[in-house]
Amino acid sequence: MLRLPSLSPRACVIAVCFCAIVGSARFLVGRCLLLVREMPVEQQFLAKYAPLRDILPKEQAAEFMVDSEHADLDRFDLNGRFFLIQYAASPRLFKGWADFSRKSATVAEQSEKDANSRIIVVDSDRPEVVPKIASSPKWRLLADLQNGVRVYSVEPSR
Amino acid sequence: MNLLAAIISLFIPIAAVYLIVNYCDRDAPSEFATRAFHLSLAVAIALGITSWGYFVWLFAVGPPGVLHHFCEIVAFAILGAGAWLARRGTPRAPTLASTPIPLAWRNTLIRLFVATLVLASCGCVVGYFDLPHGDWDAWAIWNQRARFLFRSGEDWPLAFSSSFPRNDYPLFVPCLNARLWSYLGEDACWSPWLMAMLILGSISGLLISGLCRLRDKTVGLLAGCVLLGSVFFLRNSTMQYADVPLSLFILVAMLLLAFYDHAKGENRRLLILVGLAAGLAAWTKNEGVLFFVSLIVARFVVILRRRGVRAAIGECLEIAIGALPILTAVVLQKVFLAGENDLFVAQGEGVTWMRLVAPSRWLCVVSALLTQPLGAVHLFTIVLPLLFFAFGTHKGHLRETSTVFVMLPLIFCGWCLVCVTTPYEIRWQMTVTMRLFSQIWPTILLALFLALNSPERRAQESEASLRGMAREALDAARGSCCGADDGTIKN
């Protein structure tokens, strides 16, 4: 019959505690290492979007567009930015998001056809670059947060 | 002033529930483990009920304000005072005489536990400065919905606007945070983190003190060490994910059920509390509904084998009665406020069947659900089996653990079904595996350490067996001496 080697209870208990201490120390060191980096990306975006709460109208849901040509998407993808802007500007509502650069033609065409006015928030990580579509006469700049975030209203077509 | 109101809003409900639990469990011996257990249980139940109460007020009356605060605090104060007065009239349970420490190394264990606790606590505090708003799900779902409930005023149904994905998710965390903000008067960033830490403290307290009461202090401290040394669990807690509160309510339900079985079903009030905790689990996450169903099925099967159909139906009914008020709120939210569930809406007879019969999907799901948790608890997968080799299993533990051991495979099957039929890319879907595992990790630890023979008992058994062997040897020696005197020959 197979006979298992007898294990010292004290050694087993100390082994469990040792693993626990290693685990909790790993957790602490991991958190400390994250803390010494620059401000977390989420917080940077939250600070960037927070003023929108006072700018956006209460009764109308805005649309969010990221200018991916001038956005550092490695830092945060479009989906993540949409949730962050919704969190930062709540209770102002956003309808959805789009890639401004890729869909600029579609957006411009649609804005010509749309019967209702729209509020569009454009985000570019390079504040000095003005989005091409903003040159359309139907787009009116409502606010420029000077950090790449601009709020436009798009007039309805008559 | 607002900070004082927030402190009162936490203190009064917790104190009231503590007094009620203390009254209901008045036969328990008066010792530190009992008080710690009552306090941890009070934190869990008070947070759950206040979150539920916030939603009921919001739904029935409107945005909670001063009137809600007044009614809530007065109601808890009256209940607490009633329990305190009733407790005064009952004889005190005897204080256990301090038992001598049978193991010389128990002090070493206590020191190592304290070291683990300090390191984990420091990590949680640093975690706040690292992620003050929590991680993705916290700001994309839970805290975002809390902000909408708090900031929108009369327009609070905006929190369920169709522009939000997953707006059918239950509301324990959003209502808990919005409630505290309503007392504070502002949506302070630290408040959701504080709630997450209270919940983590309650889980640790319940696991340790529960095992101290059901087994002994060594087993309780060992389980506490493993929980506080589980990096993935601590990380999920500081990320403010709802999986950790869900794990709290699952633990409460299973721990109370273990107490009920330990007392051989004498205290049937416990079943109502089990139902309440299971209902609160369904109020926390959709996976909580899966837990509730699995619990009912598992309990029915276990009691059916032990005591027949009538007893099984009776117990399941009592659990359901306990869950009823909370489940009513879940149904109200799902029917009147929530949109469609993203996992169900993309199902169709043909496409779901195709997903179900694809072996590659099953392989991917089952392998991820089995291997990722093992990778996360890495060192413990080696040392926990060693404990069982060293101490053996506790005789008769199946009375307390059988429901858990029947329920866990049911939950696992439920997860598998949901993951296999997911409309999302399956590899992305399986990235949530670790979060699913953290929902049941404290309960797994509870079941494992209930099944473990305690070191004290093991030492006593070894001592008894040594004594027995020595006695046998002595008897044999005496026998041979006597035999020699008698002149008989022994083989």
Side-chain angles (χ1 to χ4, degrees):
Chain A
M1 189 181 154
L2 178 69
R3 194 176 168 80
L4 289 165
S6 65
L7 294 162
S8 153
R10 183 181 182 170
C12 289
V13 167
I14 288 176
V16 170
C17 293
F18 174 74
C19 294
I21 288 180
V22 168
S24 51
R26 257 185 61 205
F27 172 65
L28 174 60
V29 171
R31 296 289 103 180
C32 290
L33 286 177
L34 287 172
L35 193 64
V36 294
R37 67 182 180 183
E38 59 173 359
M39 187 202 273
V41 185
E42 297 92 324
Q43 284 206 66
Q44 291 176 26
F45 279 107
L46 287 174
K48 185 178 177 180
Y49 298 141
L52 287 171
R53 187 186 168 192
D54 301 323
I55 294 170
L56 293 174
K58 191 180 169 187
E59 59 283 345
Q60 190 179 1
E63 290 162 65
F64 178 52
M65 289 186 186
V66 175
D67 184 4
S68 70
E69 261 181 35
H70 304 113
D72 181 3
L73 294 180
D74 290 341
R75 296 170 75 212
F76 237 96
D77 66 5
L78 300 182
N79 200 23
R81 286 183 194 219
F82 172 71
F83 286 118
L84 280 172
I85 200 168
Q86 183 71 89
Y87 177 67
S90 61
R92 304 291 171 253
L93 269 178
F94 282 83
K95 272 197 258 185
W97 56 267
D99 182 347
F100 189 92
S101 314
R102 287 181 196 169
K103 295 192 175 175
S104 55
T106 325
V107 170
E109 280 169 24
Q110 200 178 336
S111 68
E112 305 285 322
K113 294 173 191 166
D114 211 323
N116 299 313
S117 69
R118 300 155 73 194
I119 300 289
I120 295 181
V121 176
V122 177
D123 179 20
S124 164
D125 286 347
R126 287 172 60 196
E128 69 278 9
V129 178
V130 178
K132 282 175 278 184
I133 200 162
S135 56
S136 164
K138 287 190 180 287
W139 285 57
R140 192 160 61 87
L141 183 67
L142 289 182
D144 185 350
L145 304 188
Q146 304 293 327
N147 55 11
V149 178
R150 292 184 181 89
V151 183
Y152 294 93
S153 77
V154 183
E155 295 304 315
S157 52
R158 301 284 174 201
Chain B
M1 190 60 192
N2 284 342
L3 187 64
L4 184 67
I7 292 169
I8 289 171
S9 79
L10 289 175
F11 179 77
I12 299 280
I14 292 173
V17 178
Y18 175 84
L19 290 169
I20 294 167
V21 169
N22 194 253
Y23 171 70
C24 293
D25 194 22
R26 55 190 174 276
D27 299 330
S30 177
E31 57 177 341
F32 179 73
T34 306
R35 285 191 288 274
F37 179 76
H38 289 171
L39 182 63
S40 308
L41 189 59
V43 169
I45 293 177
L47 294 185
I49 290 180
T50 50
S51 162
W52 170 78
Y54 182 90
F55 172 76
V56 171
W57 187 284
L58 188 70
F59 193 80
V61 182
V66 180
L67 183 63
H68 164 257
H69 301 163
F70 178 77
C71 292
E72 188 185 51
I73 295 299
V74 168
F76 275 110
I78 290 171
L79 285 172
W84 183 67
L85 287 173
R87 180 81 173 93
R88 277 182 68 194
T90 57
R92 286 192 168 275
T95 307
L96 285 186
S98 59
T99 47
I101 296 169
L103 299 173
W105 39 268
R106 166 109 41 92
N107 283 339
T108 313
L109 174 61
I110 292 171
R111 282 189 203 109
L112 291 172
F113 169 76
V114 170
T116 311
L117 179 66
V118 169
L119 286 169
S121 306
C122 291
C124 289
V125 173
V126 176
Y128 169 69
F129 294 103
D130 178 36
L131 293 170
H133 296 274
D135 211 345
W136 186 294
D137 272 23
W139 44 255
I141 301 171
W142 309 111
N143 294 347
Q144 186 178 96
R145 202 135 302 148
R147 275 192 171 188
F148 268 86
L149 291 178
F150 173 68
R151 287 179 174 182
S152 303
E154 293 292 336
D155 298 326
W156 64 269
L158 279 177
F160 304 93
S161 157
S162 58
S163 63
F164 289 125
R166 303 179 179 91
N167 63 6
D168 67 307
Y169 279 17
L171 294 172
F172 168 75
V173 175
C175 286
L176 184 71
N177 292 333
R179 175 187 170 271
L180 192 58
W181 286 338
S182 78
Y183 278 91
L184 273 170
E186 57 167 332
D187 46 358
C189 182
W190 51 264
S191 143
W193 174 84
L194 181 71
M195 291 298 102
M197 291 306 106
L198 264 181
I199 287 165
L200 180 63
S202 174
I203 294 171
S204 315
L206 275 169
L207 184 68
I208 297 166
S209 59
L211 282 165
C212 283
R213 287 185 64 186
L214 288 168
R215 292 290 179 267
D216 59 43
K217 286 182 181 125
T218 309
V219 174
L221 288 175
L222 274 173
C225 279
V226 177
L227 183 75
L228 295 173
S230 306
V231 182
F232 73 98
F233 193 76
L234 297 173
R235 200 182 287 148
N236 277 351
S237 191
T238 51
M239 286 173 172
Q240 299 172 27
Y241 280 4
D243 304 271
V244 179
L246 175 58
S247 78
L248 167 67
F249 293 121
I250 294 178
L251 177 70
V252 170
M254 301 323 291
L255 189 55
L256 291 175
L257 211 50
F259 271 98
Y260 174 77
D261 288 334
H262 186 76
K264 300 195 171 101
E266 283 171 9
N267 189 355
R268 291 188 79 85
R269 280 171 300 189
L270 279 174
L271 287 179
I272 303 283
L273 271 181
V274 170
L276 178 71
L280 287 171
W283 178 238
T284 307
K285 277 200 92 178
N286 284 338
E287 290 93 325
V289 180
L290 171 66
F291 160 71
F292 182 78
V293 175
S294 308
L295 171 68
I296 294 284
V297 173
R299 193 64 191 169
F300 186 83
V301 170
V302 168
I303 300 301
L304 184 71
R305 285 193 52 140
R306 271 190 209 158
R307 292 190 279 132
V309 180
R310 190 181 286 260
I313 293 173
E315 285 206 4
C316 291
L317 267 179
E318 282 183 65
I319 293 174
I321 288 168
L324 195 62
I326 312 292
L327 290 184
T328 309
V330 176
V331 171
L332 282 178
Q333 186 230 337
K334 300 273 185 211
V335 172
F336 293 107
L337 299 169
E340 288 166 319
N341 182 279
D342 55 339
L343 293 177
F344 285 110
V345 82
Q347 304 296 340
E349 202 178 314
V351 71
T352 305
W353 182 248
M354 287 295 285
R355 288 176 189 144
L356 275 172
V357 295
S360 60
R361 293 177 76 87
W362 280 98
L363 192 68
C364 177
V365 168
V366 174
S367 65
L369 284 174
L370 289 177
T371 55
Q372 286 184 22
L374 287 180
V377 295
H378 44 88
L379 284 173
F380 291 124
T381 51
I382 302 165
V383 293
L384 285 178
L386 284 183
L387 278 180
F388 279 89
F389 279 129
F391 302 129
T393 50
H394 187 274
K395 280 174 198 157
H397 72 85
L398 277 177
R399 171 171 282 281
E400 295 145 1
T401 55
S402 49
T403 309
V404 181
F405 288 131
V406 175
M407 186 196 73
L408 287 178
L410 291 176
I411 289 182
F412 185 82
C413 291
W415 289 349
C416 282
L417 266 180
V418 171
C419 292
V420 165
T421 56
T422 180
Y424 299 112
E425 208 272 310
I426 196 145
R427 294 197 189 281
W428 175 83
Q429 182 74 51
M430 296 325 291
T431 55
V432 303
T433 306
M434 279 321 300
R435 293 191 351 230
L436 290 177
F437 183 64
S438 62
Q439 294 170 8
I440 54 167
W441 179 233
T443 305
I444 289 178
L445 288 180
L446 172 73
L448 283 179
F449 280 89
L450 278 176
L452 181 74
N453 201 8
S454 82
E456 275 89 346
R457 188 187 283 258
R458 170 75 179 186
Q460 283 168 0
E461 283 171 2
S462 305
E463 201 177 319
S465 102
L466 277 174
R467 276 194 196 136
M469 282 165 66
R471 198 176 298 125
E472 275 176 23
L474 202 62
D475 290 345
R478 268 194 202 136
S480 67
C481 272
C482 295
D485 289 347
D486 295 347
T488 51
I489 298 166
K490 289 196 180 281
N491 292 325

